[in-house]
Amino acid sequence: MSTARVDYIAPWWTYWLHNFPHINLRFQPVDNTFLPQDENYQQSLIFLGCVAAAGLGVTLLFLAVYLSCLCCCREEEEEESKRPNSCCVTWSAVTAGLISCAAVGVGFYGNSETNDGVYQLTYSMYNANHTLAGVDSLVAGTMGSMQSGLKQHLARLDEIFATRGDYVQTLRFMQQMTDSIIKQLVGLPDWDQSKVDLAAIADRVAQVEYYRWLTYLLLLILDLVICLMACLGLAKQSRWLLTTMMVFGVLTLILSWASLGADTATAVGTSDFCVSPDKFLMNQTKGFVSTDIVHYYLYCSQSLPNPFQQSLTVFQRSLTTMQIQIQGLLQFAVPLFPTAEKDLMSIQNLLNSSEASLHQLTALLDCRSLNKDYLDALMGVCYDGVEGLLYLCLFSLLAACAFCAMLCAIPRAWRHIASRERDYDDIDEEDPFNPQARRIAAHNPNRANMHSFCSYSSSMGSQTSLHPPAQAVSNAPVSEYMNQSVLFGGNPRYENVPLIGRGSPPPSYSPSMRATYLSMTDDQIRHFGNDFQA
């Protein structure tokens, strides 16, 4: 028996994943039919994880070779070669950061989609379990009332009506109807006897999904934090921060490849189920549920007969017949046997409650409820779930590429920062004509004062205490002085005006004079200034 399904069509990406090569660990092709208990099929999924592990090994080997070449090959330290390298590092870092941000965005979406699909699966499984549990409860309750309560009342009425053969014959007929009802109820499938507990499976799936969702959330946050900290390290030119991020980058690279392997194997296995879910479920239910019943619930087609229709019809007719018999006994036997009224009323109430249970049982056994739960579960797993897994695979792949680029850029940035620090270390901070030294002195006033031959403010007091003799002003152009003043200190200093008034330009000095000046103490400089003024 086969029925074409029109209410569920597997998405195209499940067929694409289903056609992936299925190879076991002995490199032998395996059938792609979903058989989770089969050892070869399990090995074919593990093989996909091993492919991701091989990709990780190739990536780590490439990084090792790259770092070895970077350490062994010394680059030239000329200015012309520094600028292109710095630009290359910058663009590599920017590219890695953009790819990492895109990967995190894709990962958040994929994680949410997968969680939605699994939630829809577990919700449908809980609903289906509630329906099946309701069927079992109604069947057990009805059988219990028929076997115990109804038979007890019939036994007492048999004693009361012992003198009336016609009434005893009616009781015997009601006993046959009761046995017929029990027989029909026993023929219904007992879902408790099945080996599959949907509620327990849903609980395990929900628990695994919670930890999976939380793990991916932490991994996404870790990727984002590492990317931001690496960018901060490049901006601040912090070598220790870049080194720390490089270590975490290697860890995240390993996690990305591991998640890629796990997601790929899960997506392929789920797609194998989604391509032919009916076949798998019929094989799983074989032995304790008939094929007609499974077919009825999986397809729920009007062309398929209800396998419970005959049992429910017999149940309804038997109840109707018993109710008619009880009404006759209440009308004709109670005036003759008043003590039988209590048992007859109890039987009538029991039949009324059984009829209510019959209506509920008919509604629960209808295929529309369970078929809807089945289709909702398929939509959740095969559409949202597998789609989310594909996005997570894309996230893992993008994250691996981003961190690989970052691990290539960080060592070059580290060397570039170290080279710049060596260049700064070569500058003489005691040189009074070094602009960097003047900036350091401005930020650190506790350093020893740097004296200039053209300034007496630090050694001879205020300019108001200087009384230079009146002399004719020199005809030397002021611009010449300003040029020499800029040569000494970088900016013209106004405390040098007394020298202009004396008609004396700033003295020039040789490198030997500079060395002598730097070796003098403050007292010697003051004494030298007094002599120079005199």
Side-chain angles (χ1 to χ4, degrees):
M1 181 184 299
S2 62
T3 303
R5 175 178 293 281
V6 296
D7 47 12
Y8 167 75
I9 299 176
W12 63 267
W13 52 80
T14 57
Y15 287 100
W16 177 62
L17 293 171
H18 179 66
N19 292 326
F20 270 26
H22 288 62
I23 302 174
N24 59 14
L25 298 181
R26 293 183 295 274
F27 299 98
Q28 298 175 350
V30 179
D31 185 18
N32 56 5
T33 304
F34 184 69
L35 297 173
Q37 294 86 6
D38 185 67
E39 182 180 358
N40 288 326
Y41 183 80
Q42 294 174 0
Q43 291 182 5
S44 67
L45 298 181
I46 296 175
F47 181 81
L48 296 175
C50 294
V51 172
L56 173 62
V58 172
T59 304
L60 294 178
L61 180 62
F62 166 75
L63 290 175
V65 173
Y66 173 79
L67 293 177
S68 299
C69 294
L70 189 63
C71 294
C72 296
C73 299
R74 296 294 180 182
E75 298 181 354
E76 298 180 358
E77 297 295 334
E78 297 177 357
E79 188 66 22
E80 297 178 356
S81 63
K82 290 180 184 177
R83 292 182 180 178
N85 290 335
S86 177
C87 182
C88 179
V89 170
T90 302
W91 280 108
S92 299
V94 169
T95 303
L98 292 177
I99 295 176
S100 180
C101 292
V104 170
V106 172
F108 272 112
Y109 179 76
N111 197 32
S112 177
E113 282 292 301
T114 304
N115 184 258
D116 291 342
V118 175
Y119 174 78
Q120 190 171 353
L121 169 65
T122 55
Y123 184 78
S124 300
M125 292 177 70
Y126 283 128
N127 284 342
N129 183 75
H130 178 73
T131 300
L132 297 179
V135 171
D136 291 336
S137 177
L138 289 174
V139 170
T142 304
M143 288 182 61
S145 62
M146 289 289 179
Q147 289 177 343
S148 60
L150 184 60
K151 286 186 176 182
Q152 290 178 2
H153 292 301
L154 291 177
R156 283 196 295 266
L157 289 175
D158 188 63
E159 294 176 359
I160 295 173
F161 298 149
T163 58
R164 295 292 303 266
D166 54 346
Y167 294 160
V168 173
Q169 187 66 27
T170 301
L171 294 178
R172 296 286 184 275
F173 180 73
M174 291 181 62
Q175 183 63 46
Q176 292 177 359
M177 294 293 101
T178 302
D179 294 338
S180 176
I181 291 174
I182 293 175
K183 181 179 179 181
Q184 299 303 322
L185 293 176
V186 170
L188 296 177
D190 186 4
W191 302 105
D192 286 337
Q193 299 297 326
S194 63
K195 299 179 182 180
V196 179
D197 187 358
L198 293 180
I201 294 176
D203 290 337
R204 288 196 296 269
V205 170
Q207 184 178 13
V208 172
E209 169 58 20
Y210 170 75
Y211 288 110
R212 186 210 63 80
W213 174 83
L214 183 61
T215 301
Y216 265 99
L217 182 63
L218 295 177
L219 180 60
L220 291 168
I221 294 175
L222 178 62
D223 288 358
L224 191 59
V225 169
I226 291 176
C227 179
L228 294 178
M229 295 302 292
C231 293
L232 181 62
L234 290 174
K236 294 292 186 179
Q237 296 186 356
S238 175
R239 287 192 291 175
W240 71 267
L241 186 58
L242 290 177
T243 304
T244 305
M245 290 306 102
M246 190 171 181
V247 174
F248 280 100
V250 173
L251 175 62
T252 310
L253 181 64
I254 296 175
L255 293 177
S256 298
W257 278 104
S259 63
L260 177 61
D263 292 337
T264 303
T266 305
V268 171
T270 307
S271 299
D272 293 338
F273 166 77
C274 293
V275 169
S276 57
D278 303 333
K279 181 179 179 181
F280 172 75
L281 291 179
M282 293 185 69
N283 291 332
Q284 291 296 113
T285 56
K286 186 181 298 184
F288 59 90
V289 181
S290 66
T291 305
D292 294 338
I293 295 176
V294 177
H295 233 76
Y296 172 70
Y297 284 114
L298 291 182
Y299 295 97
C300 193
S301 175
Q302 294 181 356
S303 61
L304 294 175
N306 187 343
F308 309 109
Q309 187 64 45
Q310 183 178 359
S311 299
L312 295 176
T313 301
V314 173
F315 191 180
Q316 178 66 50
R317 290 176 179 176
S318 299
L319 285 178
T320 302
T321 302
M322 293 175 67
Q323 287 175 342
I324 294 174
Q325 298 296 327
I326 292 297
Q327 288 292 337
L329 290 176
L330 286 173
Q331 183 177 0
F332 299 104
V334 170
L336 301 176
F337 302 95
T339 56
E341 183 178 7
K342 181 179 180 181
D343 289 317
L344 290 175
M345 293 299 297
S346 298
I347 292 176
Q348 188 178 35
N349 292 333
L350 190 149
L351 292 177
N352 291 334
S353 63
S354 297
E355 187 177 10
S357 299
L358 173 63
H359 294 310
Q360 296 180 13
L361 187 61
T362 302
L364 291 177
L365 289 176
D366 187 77
C367 66
R368 287 173 290 183
S369 177
L370 287 177
N371 183 260
K372 180 181 181 300
D373 294 332
Y374 173 60
L375 293 179
D376 289 343
L378 287 180
M379 293 295 180
V381 172
C382 301
Y383 280 82
D384 292 340
V386 178
E387 182 184 6
L389 288 174
L390 288 177
Y391 278 110
L392 288 178
C393 291
L394 180 60
F395 151 72
S396 300
L397 190 59
L398 290 177
C401 295
F403 283 101
C404 184
M406 186 179 297
L407 292 174
C408 291
I410 286 179
R412 286 187 170 274
W414 196 90
R415 289 190 60 184
H416 183 70
I417 295 172
S419 176
R420 293 188 60 180
E421 289 181 354
R422 285 196 301 268
D423 293 340
Y424 282 125
D425 291 339
D426 293 339
I427 298 176
D428 187 4
E429 295 182 357
E430 300 298 332
D431 188 355
F433 304 98
N434 178 21
Q436 180 71 14
R438 288 199 303 275
R439 287 195 293 268
I440 295 175
H443 290 288
N444 190 3
N446 295 327
R447 293 173 60 93
N449 293 327
M450 305 294 290
H451 299 282
S452 172
F453 287 117
C454 303
S455 177
Y456 298 99
S457 59
S458 62
S459 60
M460 300 182 62
S462 175
Q463 292 293 338
T464 57
S465 62
L466 298 176
H467 302 283
Q471 298 180 6
V473 180
S474 173
N475 293 327
V478 180
S479 59
E480 180 181 354
Y481 160 72
M482 297 296 288
N483 293 333
Q484 295 184 9
S485 178
V486 171
L487 178 62
F488 275 125
N491 289 314
R493 302 175 61 97
Y494 292 101
E495 56 265 32
N496 296 330
V497 173
L499 293 179
I500 300 174
R502 290 168 55 186
S504 176
S508 60
Y509 63 98
S510 63
S512 61
M513 292 175 63
R514 174 180 174 273
T516 305
Y517 171 73
L518 293 176
S519 63
M520 294 169 63
T521 62
D522 288 346
D523 293 337
Q524 292 174 336
I525 292 172
R526 189 179 295 109
H527 179 70
F528 175 78
N530 292 332
D531 293 344
F532 184 80
Q533 185 179 12

